[in-house]
Amino acid sequence: MTSYLLRRSAFLLVSFVIAMMAIFVLLRLLPGDPSNALLSVTATPEQIAAAQAQVGADRPVLEQFLAWFAQLTRFDLGESFISSLPVWPEIAARLTVTVPLTLMAFALALVISLVAGVVAAIKADRWYGILISAISQLGVAVPVFWVGILMVSVFSVGLRWLPSSGFPRDDWADPADALRSLTLPVITVALVMSASLTRYVRSATLDVVGSDYLRSARAQGSGYTEALWRHGLRNGAVPVISILGIELATTFLGAVVVESVFGLPGLGSMLLKAIEQHDYPNIQGVLFVSTLVVLVIGFLADVAQRLIDPRLRVSISGNR
């Protein structure tokens, strides 16, 4: 397992370097120049040259990348072209909205999908089992922004139970107020995420229900629920864990849509604003953090699979 962790960590590092190269190159392929954020439409050639020198756009692309990557190794994300403020503190402030939104939505979606998926599998021949399967199939095709608009129409405009947008200016100083602002976004993301997760949980549960080891456990005197809980849970969880990692990463990246619908000052809204203003340090900073989070989630999900399923550890030892 130690050897596997070392190899997987090396792969994580290589993936991160390649991702950073791709981000840097793709941003430079976009129309315009990083120095445009500092210039007006009436800028003179001298002013353009000075702005390019200020942001380093007058240097070769490789030299620019190496300088930027050297900053990343020190977790120095530079300063905004627009505000001249450090990028990292701004991202840290935005994460106090995006991270709670992502984690709470993920936890709620996990609870919904586990219950719905298991019921849909065990009661596949009942009307409610069929209904759950049909709803989950439909939910996969529903855009998250449409669900968000529907939630606002019903619970904010119609019933006036919850705020439709915004977040407290004093952040989490009043947790109750902050949670009220995140309630609709969390439910919106959780409903969309749980639709796809329910399908995977249902499929994994069906595989467990029809397995030989579960029938053997019942033949030895275990009740259906006991056999499913003691012998089926671990085996059914293995294929679902990798999907959970993907869904968690997708939720984090999808915050840009949800935060736009609900007017939340999170990482997504920061990225949109930076793109509008051609603020390259902010864009690169947000993409750096997002990429790092996605890669680490994938790494942890992969390791969790090996820890839960002994067969994967045996396979690793056999291939060594």
Side-chain angles (χ1 to χ4, degrees):
M1 191 65 185
T2 302
S3 176
Y4 165 76
L5 288 175
L6 291 175
R7 292 198 306 271
R8 190 63 179 80
S9 298
F11 179 76
L12 174 66
L13 180 59
V14 172
S15 300
F16 175 74
V17 173
I18 294 174
M20 291 301 98
M21 292 175 63
I23 289 172
F24 187 87
V25 171
L26 290 175
L27 284 177
R28 267 54 187 184
L29 292 177
L30 294 177
D33 187 273
S35 62
N36 289 346
L38 305 176
L39 299 169
S40 65
V41 293
T42 60
T44 63
E46 292 77 13
Q47 290 173 328
I48 294 175
Q52 289 178 337
Q54 181 178 343
V55 301
D58 59 336
R59 294 180 291 173
V61 174
L62 179 58
E63 185 179 339
Q64 293 181 49
F65 172 74
L66 293 176
W68 177 59
F69 194 80
Q71 285 183 311
L72 294 184
T73 59
R74 304 189 301 270
F75 277 84
D76 178 7
L77 302 181
E79 296 181 351
S80 167
F81 288 167
I82 305 301
S83 64
S84 298
L85 296 176
V87 175
W88 184 249
E90 177 68 14
I91 289 179
R94 301 286 186 136
L95 286 174
T96 61
V97 176
T98 301
V99 171
L101 168 61
T102 302
L103 294 181
M104 287 190 292
F106 179 75
L108 180 59
L110 187 58
V111 172
I112 295 173
S113 59
L114 285 176
V115 175
V118 171
V119 171
I122 296 178
K123 304 297 182 182
D125 56 341
R126 303 292 182 88
W127 67 268
Y128 48 89
I130 298 174
L131 179 62
I132 291 174
S133 298
I135 292 175
S136 65
Q137 291 281 357
L138 178 63
V140 173
V142 177
V144 66
F145 70 86
W146 186 86
V147 177
I149 294 172
L150 181 63
M151 289 289 161
V152 170
S153 300
V154 174
F155 295 102
S156 296
V157 178
L159 299 176
R160 299 182 181 278
W161 286 355
L162 295 165
S164 61
S165 63
F167 197 75
R169 290 187 176 182
D170 54 359
D171 209 26
W172 287 89
D174 184 352
D177 196 19
L179 287 174
R180 286 187 74 251
S181 299
L182 289 179
T183 298
L184 283 185
V186 165
I187 294 175
T188 298
V189 177
L191 288 177
V192 175
M193 187 195 302
S194 62
S196 59
L197 279 178
T198 297
R199 296 173 59 206
Y200 291 112
V201 173
R202 178 181 179 275
S203 177
T205 305
L206 285 174
D207 291 340
V208 170
V209 169
S211 62
D212 293 335
Y213 62 80
L214 193 67
R215 285 193 291 267
S216 300
R218 295 194 66 191
Q220 294 174 3
S222 298
Y224 184 80
T225 303
E226 180 187 0
L228 184 63
W229 178 259
R230 294 183 59 186
H231 302 282
L233 180 62
R234 173 176 290 188
N235 291 278
V238 172
V240 174
I241 285 177
S242 61
I243 301 302
L244 290 179
I246 295 173
E247 290 292 338
L248 180 56
T250 302
T251 303
F252 185 83
L253 294 177
V256 59
V257 178
V258 177
E259 290 171 358
S260 297
V261 172
F262 291 97
L264 296 174
L267 211 59
S269 58
M270 179 181 176
L271 178 60
L272 281 181
K273 184 178 180 180
I275 292 173
E276 292 174 359
Q277 298 176 334
H278 291 83
D279 194 345
Y280 278 63
N282 275 351
I283 297 173
Q284 292 174 162
V286 173
L287 294 179
F288 162 76
V289 172
S290 301
T291 302
L292 184 61
V293 169
V294 170
L295 290 176
V296 170
I297 289 175
F299 171 79
L300 294 177
D302 202 13
V303 172
Q305 281 186 304
R306 266 74 181 172
L307 293 176
I308 290 177
D309 193 347
R311 294 171 299 180
L312 296 177
R313 297 199 295 272
V314 172
S315 175
I316 294 172
S317 300
N319 292 333
R320 201 163 34 189

